Amino acid sequence: MKNKYISLAIGCVMGLGLSGCSDLFLDLDPQDQRTDVIYFQKASDFKDYSASFYSQLLGWRTPYGSYSIYNYMDSSSDLSSNFLASSDLGRGTIVVPTNDDRWDKCYNYIRTVNILLKKAETYPGEQSEIAQYVSEAYFFRAYNYFMLLKTFGGIPIVKTVLDTDSPELMNPRASRYDVIDLILSDLSESIKNLPLEQNIPSSDKGRVSVMAAKAFKARVLLYEATWRKYNGTSTDFKGSEGPEKDQINEFLDEAITLCQDVIYNGGYQIWNYNSNTKIPNQSSYFLFNLEDEGSNPAGLTKASNNEFILYGVYDYVLRQGGTNLSHTVASMIPSRKLIDMFLCQDGLPIEYSEQFEGYHKTGDEYKNRDFRLMNYTNQGVIPEEGSVVLDRGLAGYNCSKFYSHNYPAYRKEKEESANYPVLRLAEVFLNYAEACYERNGEVTNEQLSGINQLRARGGVEPLTNEFIEECKANGYAMDMLSEIRRERAIELFMEGFRFDDLKRWGIAEQELNQSRLGMVVGGDGYETEFKSADGIVNTSMYKTGTFPWGEEKVQTGDGELSCVVISSKSNHSFAKKHYLWPIPQKQRDLNPNLVQNPGY
């Protein structure tokens, strides 16, 4: 039976210059006649077909079915006080599902990629004519296998176009190490013939560049190196073979080299308009809702953004986000833990800085702090005194990252159209510094220069080796690796990294089994707007009955203080088995050779 490919091509992303899908085949034969016999005969066929791959990228319209974009916004993580998504992961209550859309979707996407790779083998023209699209195919196959690896560990490898009776459908799981080998090999192939960003015509903006592939490969290398360093083979399924060799330093070395190439030769730069008087110190807010001139008071557009390296392309007219974004992100409320992670402007944690003004009045804890605190949580401004009432069992904070505007009001629901950052320069800076430290046990000030660009955008003093040594001399419990990880947690909040980071560092059990807390309410000698120093509750500001788990004392920037509890640690039972998701039962019924992950 001849396969009809036209429907796959028609599913391409509106974007890539936002001209793509609507007129792809207006001059072609009737769609019901376009089979593999007459398709893939011209380079333009490969280009049009490869456009379908871009719907596989994470974006406002998530490619994973029932897993919405909110599953990739740190919801239910240790940095979050909301459990709107991923609560089974955040609380450690994962059970074996019948189906998992991530498994089904990724393998469907891999099939579409394999079709192009197969057809490229018999292309009648010069291979150079289709080299870019073949490279894109290798990139997207690696992209999907990496999603499967992070989710399930080792999985069956499919590199051919299977039919319903193909014996490969009964293949057992490959080890994670074989899967990583394939991912890295595919990314190496993709790098060979992808263009530089500056050589991609405006009509094709959004396609993968060579620097995007290098940056993504560095992400994969750092992920796997640290996973092996901190987890070893502890999560491997029964019968899985271990790695042939360690490779940790080998992976870190290559990650460092790739990051350097992107940083110094990619032509990207951090989006910093803090000096613009119309958006003073608000770059970390408006970067994530850039649309047209009306999306911010400074009239800046997406054309000003050279920080995003790979991104989902959206447009208010041609491709809106299609998800209730602005209304929902306002509910993605951070936890007390994240709020306290933001440094003071002198570069010190709040427990050590004389600039920290405490929690006595709403807004005090925002003063003299990293600008990212107010930008990510309060639309770029410090909240006013008395503006928070704890009367709904919520943490008391706001969330404004990705909150979209047609300034000064938010877009109507589902009309948001800012580009989605799949990969940006800020992450490359963070990957680079971390890889350098993990490889060498130290990092030079030059290797920290990228992180310091992020701190500069946040109004925070630079991170240097001399600064850390001075802090240690003053008796502060600070070290370089922890500060690099702090920067990562803060900068990439809500961008889908936190769960993966905690797992690859081997500390997920420690961090995810803590209570999720909200604002400091005081008492016991500490006065706030919610309680007097002697513990008398201000009932107009604090409805204690709306907090079923009451209060918990924790170490804060002003000592051990009582905070409202949003989810008690008694609700959390995250274990090592939850580092990976279970293989869906339907897949094991179809293929009995699929060994289940340990613990399920």
Side-chain angles (χ1 to χ4, degrees):
M1 182 179 69
K2 297 173 181 176
N3 294 313
K4 290 185 173 64
Y5 299 119
I6 190 70
S7 62
L8 292 168
I10 287 295
C12 74
V13 175
M14 284 299 296
L16 312 178
L18 296 166
S19 59
C21 297
S22 58
D23 60 352
L24 279 181
F25 301 106
L26 295 182
D27 60 343
L28 301 182
D29 299 327
Q31 293 181 11
D32 60 355
Q33 298 177 24
R34 294 192 55 75
T35 68
D36 56 330
V37 174
I38 56 177
Y39 198 50
F40 291 115
Q41 298 300 303
K42 304 187 300 293
S44 59
D45 295 339
F46 284 82
K47 179 180 180 180
D48 293 343
Y49 181 87
S50 63
S52 70
F53 300 159
Y54 289 84
S55 62
Q56 300 170 18
L57 290 174
L58 191 64
W60 307 130
R61 304 179 187 186
T62 178
Y64 305 121
S66 60
Y67 289 88
S68 75
I69 188 57
Y70 306 116
N71 291 98
Y72 301 93
M73 285 189 171
D74 296 338
S75 182
S76 304
S77 78
D78 59 324
L79 306 182
S80 172
S81 69
N82 82 82
F83 292 84
L84 296 174
S86 305
S87 62
D88 49 357
L89 177 57
R91 288 189 168 122
T93 58
I94 299 171
V95 296
V96 179
T98 301
N99 296 296
D100 192 310
D101 282 340
R102 293 166 297 187
W103 181 286
D104 296 341
K105 296 290 186 180
C106 284
Y107 274 111
N108 283 337
Y109 299 146
I110 289 167
R111 176 180 171 79
T112 67
V113 169
N114 285 339
I115 288 171
L116 186 146
L117 292 175
K118 179 177 176 61
K119 289 300 173 183
E121 296 174 358
T122 56
Y123 176 61
E126 296 293 329
Q127 285 292 312
S128 59
E129 297 173 348
I130 62 171
Q132 176 182 346
Y133 315 119
V134 171
S135 285
E136 288 180 323
Y138 278 116
F139 176 87
F140 279 97
R141 190 164 73 177
Y143 182 87
N144 284 295
Y145 271 117
F146 188 51
M147 173 56 72
L148 288 168
L149 177 88
K150 291 190 299 177
T151 308
F152 303 107
I155 35 83
I157 290 175
V158 180
K159 296 193 289 184
T160 59
V161 182
L162 302 183
D163 292 322
T164 56
D165 58 351
S166 295
E168 292 89 344
L169 292 171
M170 294 294 107
N171 280 353
R173 299 174 64 180
S175 72
R176 70 174 294 118
Y177 314 103
D178 289 336
V179 178
I180 277 290
D181 287 346
L182 174 63
I183 292 169
L184 297 178
S185 174
D186 279 356
L187 289 172
S188 294
E189 288 297 318
S190 75
I191 288 168
K192 289 180 180 179
N193 290 299
L194 288 171
L196 289 166
E197 180 76 31
Q198 53 266 37
N199 294 335
I200 299 176
S202 58
S203 59
D204 286 339
K205 287 299 182 185
R207 282 192 180 267
V208 180
S209 69
V210 65
M211 290 300 176
K214 289 181 177 182
F216 188 77
K217 188 176 184 183
R219 177 194 288 183
V220 173
L221 288 161
L222 176 62
Y223 177 91
E224 184 62 15
T226 49
W227 186 285
R228 294 187 190 187
K229 181 174 182 177
Y230 294 108
N231 292 303
T233 59
S234 62
T235 61
D236 291 356
F237 60 87
K238 185 176 181 181
S240 173
E241 295 182 356
E244 292 184 4
K245 54 182 179 178
D246 180 273
Q247 293 182 292
I248 293 174
N249 287 340
E250 176 184 329
F251 286 173
L252 291 171
D253 283 336
E254 186 176 1
I256 290 167
T257 299
L258 290 169
C259 287
Q260 288 173 329
D261 196 7
V262 175
I263 291 168
Y264 294 108
N265 300 314
Y268 304 101
Q269 62 185 36
I270 293 298
W271 195 84
N272 190 345
Y273 284 83
N274 281 358
S275 61
N276 188 309
T277 56
K278 294 184 178 180
I279 53 170
N281 301 324
Q282 294 175 307
S283 295
S284 293
Y285 174 52
F286 287 106
L287 169 63
F288 298 101
N289 56 43
L290 275 177
E291 295 188 35
D292 53 24
E293 292 87 348
S295 65
N296 58 86
L300 296 165
T301 69
K302 294 175 183 178
S304 68
N305 180 6
N306 201 27
E307 180 172 335
F308 288 8
I309 298 173
L310 180 63
Y311 46 93
V313 180
Y314 294 85
D315 181 82
Y316 180 72
V317 175
L318 297 174
R319 189 185 186 232
Q320 296 177 1
T323 187
N324 195 359
L325 182 63
S326 295
H327 292 258
T328 307
V329 295
S331 301
M332 306 295 280
I333 302 169
S335 66
R336 152 100 277 120
K337 178 178 179 178
L338 176 67
I339 299 298
D340 280 352
M341 288 180 77
F342 290 92
L343 300 168
C344 288
Q345 292 177 5
D346 59 10
L348 288 173
I350 56 176
E351 61 266 34
Y352 303 130
S353 176
E354 294 182 358
Q355 293 183 337
F356 183 59
E357 297 197 10
Y359 312 93
H360 299 290
K361 301 292 184 182
T362 301
D364 283 355
E365 60 185 307
Y366 285 76
K367 296 174 182 176
N368 307 316
R369 301 283 294 280
D370 187 328
F371 298 143
R372 288 171 290 190
L373 173 55
M374 63 181 187
N375 284 324
Y376 285 2
T377 67
N378 210 59
Q379 299 185 45
V381 297
I382 294 176
E384 297 179 358
E385 180 178 329
S387 61
V388 175
V389 177
L390 299 176
D391 63 349
R392 293 183 295 160
L394 301 177
Y397 298 106
N398 298 314
C399 184
S400 55
K401 191 170 183 178
F402 298 123
Y403 188 91
S404 188
H405 280 78
N406 184 10
Y407 200 80
Y410 55 74
R411 289 279 196 196
K412 293 179 181 178
E413 62 182 52
K414 299 186 178 181
E415 292 184 357
E416 301 94 343
S417 53
N419 289 342
Y420 182 84
V422 177
L423 205 164
R424 60 189 178 99
L425 181 60
E427 184 206 338
V428 179
F429 284 151
L430 293 159
N431 290 345
Y432 179 50
E434 183 183 345
C436 288
Y437 191 92
E438 291 287 4
R439 175 63 178 90
N440 303 309
E442 60 184 8
V443 60
T444 68
N445 289 342
E446 174 61 27
Q447 291 163 342
L448 292 167
S449 61
I451 280 183
N452 285 326
Q453 289 186 48
L454 307 181
R455 288 165 74 105
R457 181 163 62 184
V460 177
E461 288 295 311
L463 175 64
T464 64
N465 286 287
E466 293 78 11
F467 177 76
I468 292 295
E469 289 306 312
E470 181 181 351
C471 290
K472 290 179 178 179
N474 289 330
Y476 303 156
M478 296 174 65
D479 63 86
M480 183 61 77
L481 181 58
S482 296
E483 293 309 304
I484 291 172
R485 290 180 175 182
R486 181 201 300 267
E487 287 296 327
R488 185 178 185 89
I490 290 171
E491 178 66 30
L492 300 180
F493 175 59
M494 292 180 68
E495 294 182 53
F497 291 93
R498 187 59 176 176
F499 283 114
D500 288 336
D501 287 344
L502 293 179
K503 289 188 285 187
R504 69 186 177 86
W505 295 334
I507 58 174
E509 302 98 314
Q510 170 188 326
E511 303 303 321
L512 295 176
N513 286 328
Q514 300 173 4
S515 296
R516 307 299 195 271
L517 307 176
M519 278 193 164
V520 169
V521 291
D524 294 327
Y526 195 91
E527 184 175 1
T528 69
E529 295 179 3
F530 311 111
K531 277 186 182 182
S532 65
D534 57 6
I536 298 175
V537 174
N538 181 347
T539 55
S540 66
M541 299 290 290
Y542 177 27
K543 307 297 184 184
T544 58
T546 65
F547 293 89
W549 299 103
E551 301 172 9
E552 185 175 320
K553 285 188 176 181
V554 294
Q555 197 65 35
T556 71
D558 256 4
E560 190 176 80
L561 299 173
S562 291
C563 307
V564 289
V565 180
I566 311 304
S567 180
S568 171
K569 55 190 174 185
S570 62
N571 289 339
H572 296 259
S573 55
F574 189 93
K576 196 70 173 182
K577 71 175 184 178
H578 299 124
Y579 278 50
L580 296 175
W581 290 76
I583 305 299
Q585 188 58 48
K586 179 182 177 181
Q587 298 302 323
R588 298 191 70 213
D589 291 341
L590 292 169
N591 179 5
N593 296 318
L594 296 178
V595 178
Q596 186 57 277
N597 277 325
Y600 294 104

